[in-house]
Structures are given as structure tokens and as C-alpha cells.
Amino acid sequence: MNRRWIWSLLTLAVAAAGAVTLYQNNQARLRFVSGTTFAMNTFIDQKWFGSKGQKTYDRVTAFVTEIEQEISMHISNSDIALLNQKAGKEYVALSPEVFGLLSRAKELSGASQGAFDLTIGPLVESWDITGLNPKVPSQEEIQKDLELINWEDLLLDETNSSAMLLREGMAVDLGAIAKGWACDQIRQLALEEGITSGYVSLGGNLMVIGQKPDGNPFYFGVRDPRGDATEYIGTVSLEGKTMATSGDYERYFEEDGVRYHHLLDPRTGYPADGGLISVSVISEDGALADFLSTTFFVLGREETLKHLEDDRYQLIVVDSDLNVYWSSGLNGNFQPNQQAEGYTFHQ
Ligand code: AMP
Ligand code: MG
């Protein structure tokens, strides 16, 4: 074999090895782990790209189960169940993460103009909208519950990582913030594992890291609040963000033609009736987004539309006349679905 032939063969071999490596790299990049589990009273969808996908998936699954054990009101020895049982009696020791979540929820309750209160537990229980026996409580019952709601009566002892509810009968309910807060914890965990692409969806809350491996953004549907679960009023791309949605279609019952939904107004004791049917909040801060979606829903249309432009978050708001409004910061990210029947899009 002459020298030219040897060089040609060598070049070919190097090129082939290069192609195989490139192919393997692409395969590694495109490799992903995804699946759905059930915890925190909701379905949890995860998708993580890259070689650490499985480890991240397993850690997230373990994390949400652990958090549920700590904060569920229905698990009798959870930190929150104990806090509620010992209301008016004594302080209860809390894990550091539950203490952090309670502190944040208390601080935000104080900033909500009375629309959000983490001690709303007694009222949630009387309506039982998410439970087995939903009903319209009597006026006396509602009055009694309202007297037990006051975030200022949750006492926090940071030195001992413990808390106490001041009066017997009071109860904390973290349902309006815990999932968004969990999104923040999951982001931290996934970044620790080196994840650069993927997402988690917990009920009405989403958290997205990076873009798809092909360089396109991850797109998600914004549910049509009057359609079925497969219908959307638009799609939104969320890179490095979380999105929380509160809507009157999520959990409700109907009686005498009235829809009683699960977003309760702590000022009246009744489901909020402020002219909105869905509020989505997009923010890097998952706990803030979850808190705000509930708070804006309760505050109602007029107040919410005043907050359309803010540096910390963006909104997609649907009112009861099916008008859809969104923050200008979402232009280019939010694509309204012009086919969605009955909606008017305003931007
Ligand atoms: P979300 O879907 O995030 O809006 O949370 C709704 C859940 O939060 C309800 O099922 C209740 O457990 C709880 N909740 C309802 N109304 C309020 C409120 N005004 N403030 C705090 N928590 C609430
Ligand atoms: Mg919320």
C-alpha cells in the first residue's frame, strides 16, 4: 500500500470516529427521563434532559413525597396537622423548610390587602370544596370561621424553628402557595444536579429550566377556563420561569345554578366574585407566582388589571366576559389562540 492510500485510510478513520462521537454526544443530549407521579394532592409531571435525568427525577419524586408528609393537613402527624391540632395550646417544632415556607406565607399574607390568608383553614374546611362533602355553610358557621382567620395570630419562633397558632380552632392551609414554593426548591435541586433543560408541572404550577435541546423554547398551553382539559386560550414559552394559574374551573360544585369554587375571599367568607375566571402569573419566583395567582383572583378584575405591568412578574388574566389581557412583557412569548371560541384578546 502506498503512502497516499495510508493517509486516505487514516483520514477516513478519524472522520468516522468523529462522527460516532458527535452522534453519541447528541444522543446524550437528547436523552431524557420523564413520567407522572401523584403527591401533594395533584399529578406531578417531570421531564429532564441529559445524563442526570434519572437521578433528578428520583430526587424530585422523593422531595415532593417528603414535603407532603410535612405539610399535608390530612396526614395526622405532619408538621402542619400538629400545628393545627395544638392551636391555642403550645408551640410545635417544624423542619427548617416548613418554617421557611410558613414565614414566607405569613409575610405575603400581610402584603395581600386581605385577599390571601394562610390561616384560612377553618373556612376551607367548612366549604369542603376539595373534599368529599362540599356544601354552602350556614351564615353562623361562616361568621365563626372568619373570626378564626388572622395571619397575625400565627406566632413564629425562628430561634427554635417552631410556631404556634394563638387561638384554638385556628388552622393553617398552605394550598395556595406550597406548590409554587416546591417549584423553587425543585429548581435548586435540579440545578445542583447540573440539569440545563427540563421542567416540572405540579397541578397548576410549572417550573422550566433552559430550552429544549434543539434550541427551541418549551411551550405550554394556558388552559381554556370554559373548555375541557385539552383546550387552550394560548401558548406561552417559559425559559427559566415558573407559572402558576388559579381558576374557578379547577375545583367547584354547583347548587341552584351557582358555581361555588375553591378560591375563597377571607373578607366575606364566600368564593371570590371579583369578575375573574382565571389568572396566570409568570415569574422566576415560584412561591410569589403561586401566591399572586390566588391573591389577584380574590382581589378581582379591577385591582388585578392595575398590576398588569410589573418588573417581578407577568400576568395572563381572563375575566368573566371572556376578555383576555396580558402583560406587555409577554409579547413574543404568549401566543393567543385566536380559534378559542368566545374569547376577545386585548393587547
Ligand atoms: P390556588 O390553586 O393556588 O389558587 O390555591 C387554592 C387553594 O388555596 C384552595 O384550595 C385553598 O386550600 C386555599 N385557599 C383558598 N382561598 C385562599 C385565600 N384567599 N388565601 C389563602 N389560601 C386560600
Ligand atoms: Mg396559588
Side-chain angles (χ1 to χ4, degrees), residues 73 114-120 124 130 173-177 179 205 245-247 250-251 262-266 290-291 293-294 298:
M73 293 193 300
F116 182 103
D117 197 309
L118 84 162
T119 64
I120 200 161
V124 171
T130 56
D173 177 336
L174 295 167
I177 189 171
K179 293 199 271 295
N205 292 257
T245 300
S246 294
E250 291 173 306
R251 290 163 194 211
H262 70 141
L263 303 163
L264 303 171
D265 189 335
D290 199 358
F291 156 77
S293 68
T294 313
V298 174

Side-chain angles (χ1 to χ4, degrees), residues 78-252:
S78 79
D79 288 8
I80 297 299
L82 288 175
L83 177 69
N84 294 345
Q85 282 160 33
K86 305 275 184 192
K89 297 192 184 94
E90 58 189 74
Y91 274 85
V92 170
L94 305 167
S95 74
E97 63 260 39
V98 174
F99 188 85
L101 170 58
L102 269 187
S103 312
R104 185 90 199 273
K106 179 178 174 180
E107 178 200 323
L108 291 170
S109 298
S112 73
Q113 302 174 38
F116 182 103
D117 197 309
L118 84 162
T119 64
I120 200 161
L123 190 65
V124 171
E125 211 167 297
S126 292
W127 282 91
D128 201 25
I129 290 171
T130 56
L132 295 176
N133 299 303
K135 61 167 194 314
V136 181
S138 70
Q139 196 51 48
E140 296 79 67
E141 232 178 316
I142 287 183
Q143 199 46 46
K144 204 168 133 256
D145 292 339
L146 289 181
E147 280 159 24
L148 290 168
I149 300 173
N150 186 357
W151 58 272
E152 284 174 285
D153 290 344
L154 169 70
L155 309 179
L156 296 173
D157 176 353
E158 192 168 3
T159 321
N160 296 305
S161 183
S162 63
M164 175 178 162
L165 287 161
L166 203 55
R167 290 170 289 137
E168 200 168 333
M170 288 185 76
V172 159
D173 177 336
L174 295 167
I177 189 171
K179 293 199 271 295
W181 171 84
C183 283
D184 293 330
Q185 311 296 309
I186 293 170
R187 179 200 282 119
Q188 212 173 319
L189 185 160
L191 292 178
E192 256 170 50
E193 290 299 335
I195 292 289
T196 54
S197 171
Y199 64 85
V200 65
S201 155
L202 288 100
N205 292 257
L206 272 161
M207 188 283 294
V208 181
I209 295 179
Q211 302 177 323
K212 290 182 189 170
D214 66 5
N216 287 313
F218 287 107
Y219 278 99
F220 298 91
V222 179
R223 168 102 182 249
D224 176 345
R226 290 294 175 265
D228 66 35
T230 61
E231 292 177 292
Y232 299 101
I233 54 164
T235 51
V236 63
S237 65
L238 300 168
E239 190 180 333
K241 296 276 170 76
T242 68
M243 178 166 79
T245 300
S246 294
D248 71 350
Y249 58 90
E250 291 173 306
R251 290 163 194 211
Y252 66 93

